[in-house]
Amino acid sequence: HAVDAARYPAPGTAEARAAELRALANDAAAGADDAEVQALADWAEGVGALAAGRLEPALARLRAAQQRFDALAQPHHAAQTRVPCMVALAMLGRDDEAQACGEAAALAFEAQGDLRSAAKVEMNRGMMLLRQDRHAEAQARFHRASVAFARAGDREWSVAADLNLANTLLWQHRFAEAQQTFERVR
């Protein structure tokens, strides 16, 4: 988690944490066969590569981490690796793959009862669709995110999802519905 938290304020910190994890994973005395440490090292390296703008290596490491977590029967961790993977795919312009990756992550989070994480993924999917002027599809993602945030008891994020929802309605010239959504948010 320290690697993920470090990527925005200090990308070099993320790479340093990734190197530390890889060294631990490769340390025979520490049990180099420990699949969980290997998965964490892959995940950290993927996040570090993403933070440094090395998108293809990021995808490779993140997918390796996901496979390791799947093999370890850790679906929540596997789903968490899909989030930065979705970002890398979107940055590469591979939008359909990014959407599919996001959908798989959201479904996995829902299956684990993590509605807040599923909703955040839906927000990201909506933003990607909005960027492509696919307003009706973005609307569906924002609505789903709003409902999931509300069910998770996260009022702040539910409001943010509703604001995005209202904006997609404006883009579709559905002014009355947008006004109702803005009033609900207020």
Side-chain angles (χ1 to χ4, degrees):
H1 294 287
V3 171
D4 200 41
R7 82 176 148 167
Y8 292 112
T13 303
E15 290 182 305
R17 294 298 148 286
E20 291 169 5
L21 273 169
R22 181 56 66 197
L24 178 63
N26 292 333
D27 183 357
D33 292 334
D34 187 337
E36 189 168 17
V37 175
Q38 294 287 345
L40 290 168
D42 286 336
W43 187 5
E45 286 173 351
V47 169
L50 178 61
R54 294 189 318 276
L55 303 177
E56 291 294 346
L59 283 173
R61 295 285 33 100
L62 292 165
R63 286 178 171 158
Q66 178 197 335
Q67 290 172 349
R68 290 182 195 271
F69 284 126
D70 282 337
L72 290 165
Q74 294 185 14
H76 197 267
H77 284 121
Q80 288 177 323
T81 65
R82 290 178 189 261
V83 175
C85 188
M86 179 179 63
V87 172
L89 288 165
M91 290 172 71
L92 287 166
R94 294 160 56 183
D95 296 317
D96 290 341
E97 287 178 72
Q99 286 291 335
C101 183
E103 181 177 15
L107 291 172
F109 285 133
E110 287 173 5
Q112 296 298 307
D114 187 351
L115 296 179
R116 190 167 187 270
S117 291
K120 283 187 173 186
V121 169
E122 290 301 323
M123 283 277 282
N124 284 329
R125 293 180 69 204
M127 294 306 290
M128 286 189 294
L129 291 164
L130 191 60
R131 190 186 78 230
Q132 298 169 20
D133 292 329
R134 294 165 61 182
H135 301 109
E137 293 170 86
Q139 173 196 335
R141 298 296 113 221
F142 293 136
H143 175 73
R144 186 172 170 162
S146 175
V147 170
F149 281 129
R151 287 185 180 150
D154 193 325
R155 186 175 179 187
E156 182 177 331
W157 276 99
S158 182
V159 166
D162 274 340
L163 288 172
N164 285 324
L165 173 61
N167 285 323
T168 62
L169 292 167
L170 288 174
W171 277 103
Q172 297 173 76
H173 295 231
R174 295 167 62 184
F175 301 116
E177 292 173 77
Q179 181 64 33
Q180 289 173 345
T181 304
F182 281 128
E183 288 174 9
R184 186 177 70 237
V185 167
R186 189 182 3 256

